[in-house]
Amino acid sequence: MEVGKLLEKNQKKMFVYLFALALILMAVYSVDVKKKVQLKNPYYYTILVVLILITGLQWRLGGDNLSYEIYYKDIPTIDRLRIDQLGIGVKYQPLWYIFCAILKSITPSFVFFHIVHSIIINTVVLSFFRRYTKYVFTAILLYYLSFNYLMFNIELQRESLAVMCFLLGLKYLQRETIAGYLKYYLFAIVAFFFHTSALITFIIPIVLVLLKRAKNIYTSVIILGALLALFIYLSESVMFSFVGEGISENIFDQAEHYFDHDKNFSNILINGFFNVIAPLIVIYISFASKAKKDVFLYLGMLLVVVYIGNAYFTGFSRMVNYLIFPFYVSLVNVFSGTKKYGLLKIMCITVMIIATAYHMTRPIDFRRHGDLYYNMYIPYQSILD
C-alpha cells in the first residue's frame, strides 16, 4: 500500500517535467514547423515563466545546490560584507559574494535566491536563442532535454552567471569594432568576477580572429591543433606554477582536482572524443552546404578542441559551458538551412542523446549510496509539496 502511494506521488512529481516538455514540443510543432508566427510570443513567454517556476520553486535538488544552501546561511548582508571577503582566488569570486549579499539583504530566504537566479538564467538563455535563431523553440528543446536547463539553474549557480555575462557580451564581439571589443571585454571581466572559468572568454576573440583569417579548413585545423597543445600546456604548467606564490590557492586546488579526476576508458571516450562527433557533423554540413560562416561556427570549432582536451584534463568541461549555447544555435541554424545530409543529422542527434544518457546515469558518491546522476533531479521536489 505504501509503495503504491509512493509511486503515485512520484508520478505526480514527474508531471512537472513532462508538462514543460509537452509545452515546448507544442511550440516546436506550431511555430518552428508550421510557422504559426502569431503563437510565437504566447508560447515564448509561457515557456519562460514555466521554466522559471520549475527551478525557482525547486527544493533540495542537485548536489552542489545543497552545499550552496548551507553556505548561503553564512553569507552576510551587503552592509556587513567585509573587503577581505572580496579577493581574487578566495573560496568564491567577489561578485558572487556581492550578488548573494544583496539578495540576502532583501530576505534571507534561499528560495528567493533561487527565484531571482532562475529569472536571470532562463531570461538570458531564451532571449539569446530568440536573438540568434528563427527556430527558437527547437533550441529551447535542446536546452531542456540535454539537462543543461537543470544544470545551469540548480548545479552551476556561480558559473551560470558568468556564462550569462558571456552570452550578453557576444553581440558586441560580432561587431568587430574597437568599441565592440571593449564592451565585450567589460562583460568578460564581470564574468570572471563571478567565476574564474570565465578566463576562456578573454581568449575567444583572439581565436575567432585567427579562424576567420584562415584561408582554408587545413589552416583552421593547424590553428586548432596549436590551440589544443597550448591549452594542455597551460593547464599543466602555468596553473600549477601558481602554487606557493600565494596567488590563488583555491584555484590551484580545483585544478588539481580536475587532474586527479577519473581517467578510465569510458570517461575518456564519452567526455572527450565521443562528444566531438556532434560539433564535427555540424561543421562538416556547414562547409559542405556552403552556409555562411559566422561566429557560432567558429565557436563550434573551439568546442571540438575543448572536448578533445577534456579527455585529458576534465577541467576543460568548464569551458564547454560557455560554448554549448552557441553550439545549439549553430546546430539549429545549419540543420534548418539545408534538407540534405539526413543521415548525418540523425547521427548527430543520436550521439548527443547517448552522451546525455551516459552523463545522467553515472553513479554519484556524494548523496545516497547507489544514486545515479539523474536522481539529483528526479523525482521533482518543490517548496510547495
Side-chain angles (χ1 to χ4, degrees):
M1 187 68 177
E2 292 298 325
V3 174
K5 288 182 178 180
L6 181 62
L7 289 174
E8 183 180 355
K9 185 178 181 181
N10 286 343
Q11 287 174 352
K12 289 180 179 179
K13 290 181 177 181
M14 282 298 296
F15 173 77
V16 174
Y17 291 135
L18 294 176
F19 173 75
L21 177 59
L23 188 62
I24 296 171
L25 288 172
M26 288 167 58
V28 170
Y29 178 76
S30 299
V31 182
D32 290 357
V33 177
K34 291 299 183 179
K35 309 299 181 185
K36 296 180 180 179
V37 292
Q38 71 276 14
L39 297 177
K40 184 173 184 177
N41 281 344
Y43 269 123
Y44 178 86
Y45 289 108
T46 302
I47 290 171
L48 176 59
V49 170
V50 169
L51 294 183
I52 289 172
L53 290 177
I54 290 175
T55 50
L57 299 179
Q58 62 82 26
W59 182 74
R60 298 189 65 79
L61 297 182
D64 286 352
N65 176 45
L66 306 182
S67 299
Y68 281 126
E69 182 175 4
I70 295 172
Y71 182 74
Y72 192 74
K73 298 175 183 178
D74 297 326
I75 295 180
T77 54
I78 193 67
D79 58 309
R80 295 175 179 268
L81 195 62
R82 303 190 314 273
I83 193 67
D84 63 317
Q85 294 175 299
L86 305 178
I88 303 297
V90 295
K91 185 173 180 60
Y92 298 130
Q93 291 291 83
L95 280 183
W96 171 254
Y97 280 109
I98 294 173
F99 177 70
C100 292
I102 291 173
L103 295 183
K104 200 165 182 182
S105 298
I106 300 172
T107 172
S109 171
F110 195 55
V111 175
F112 177 70
F113 164 85
H114 265 300
I115 292 173
V116 174
H117 186 271
S118 185
I119 290 172
I120 294 171
I121 302 304
N122 290 294
T123 300
V124 174
V125 170
L126 267 63
S127 62
F128 177 79
F129 290 149
R130 193 173 194 179
R131 181 183 183 90
Y132 292 111
T133 179
K134 295 185 296 184
Y135 300 90
V136 57
F137 298 109
T138 305
I140 293 173
L141 182 64
L142 291 174
Y143 167 54
Y144 188 76
L145 288 181
S146 65
F147 275 87
N148 277 314
Y149 162 64
L150 294 173
M151 288 288 292
F152 275 79
N153 280 274
I154 298 175
E155 200 68 5
L156 306 175
Q157 293 176 16
R158 294 181 297 128
E159 188 175 14
S160 61
L161 292 173
V163 174
M164 296 308 108
C165 292
F166 168 67
L167 295 183
L168 290 171
L170 196 56
K171 64 180 179 181
Y172 299 110
L173 184 59
Q174 291 180 291
R175 296 177 182 177
E176 298 183 351
T177 63
I178 294 178
Y181 284 124
L182 289 175
K183 290 178 180 178
Y184 168 82
Y185 274 110
L186 179 61
F187 278 96
I189 292 170
V190 173
F192 174 75
F193 282 113
F194 271 115
H195 200 277
T196 52
S197 63
L199 282 171
I200 187 179
T201 64
F202 289 86
I203 67 169
I204 282 177
I206 301 171
V207 175
L208 293 181
V209 169
L210 292 174
L211 290 175
K212 288 177 182 178
R213 293 185 178 181
K215 295 181 179 180
N216 50 53
I217 187 63
Y218 303 106
T219 308
S220 298
V221 170
I222 293 173
I223 293 172
L224 293 171
L227 186 64
L228 175 61
L230 179 63
F231 276 173
I232 293 176
Y233 169 77
L234 290 176
S235 64
E236 190 171 39
S237 302
V238 178
M239 180 69 76
F240 282 92
S241 69
F242 287 157
V243 70
E245 300 294 332
I247 296 175
S248 183
E249 201 170 311
N250 280 281
I251 294 176
F252 169 79
D253 289 342
Q254 190 172 30
E256 189 175 39
H257 164 74
Y258 286 129
F259 270 105
D260 290 340
H261 196 273
D262 184 18
K263 288 187 173 64
N264 61 43
F265 178 75
S266 62
N267 181 67
I268 293 174
L269 181 66
I270 299 294
N271 286 337
F273 301 111
F274 194 78
N275 279 324
V276 168
I277 297 174
L280 280 179
I281 289 175
V282 173
I283 293 168
Y284 172 80
I285 293 177
S286 179
F287 276 96
S289 62
K290 298 182 179 179
K292 181 181 178 181
K293 309 300 181 291
D294 58 17
V295 65
F296 299 107
L297 177 66
Y298 298 122
L299 289 176
M301 294 179 180
L302 180 57
L303 181 61
V304 170
V305 171
V306 171
Y307 273 138
I308 294 175
N310 193 51
Y312 174 76
F313 174 54
T314 56
F316 276 57
S317 61
R318 291 291 188 181
M319 300 184 191
V320 173
N321 296 328
Y322 292 85
L323 303 173
I324 196 65
F325 296 115
F327 170 65
Y328 290 157
V329 169
S330 183
L331 185 153
V332 171
N333 288 342
V334 170
F335 280 18
S336 62
T338 176
K339 294 182 179 179
K340 299 168 62 178
Y341 312 106
L343 184 60
L344 283 177
K345 293 176 181 178
I346 293 173
M347 184 186 300
C348 178
I349 300 300
T350 301
V351 296
M352 289 176 66
I353 292 173
I354 294 173
T356 300
Y358 171 83
H359 179 69
M360 298 311 297
T361 55
R362 290 182 296 122
I364 54 177
D365 54 9
F366 50 84
R367 284 170 63 105
R368 294 172 303 180
H369 177 70
D371 268 3
L372 302 180
Y373 203 88
Y374 71 83
N375 291 132
M376 294 194 300
Y377 309 108
I378 299 173
Y380 178 74
Q381 297 182 85
S382 168
I383 61 170
L384 302 177
D385 289 344

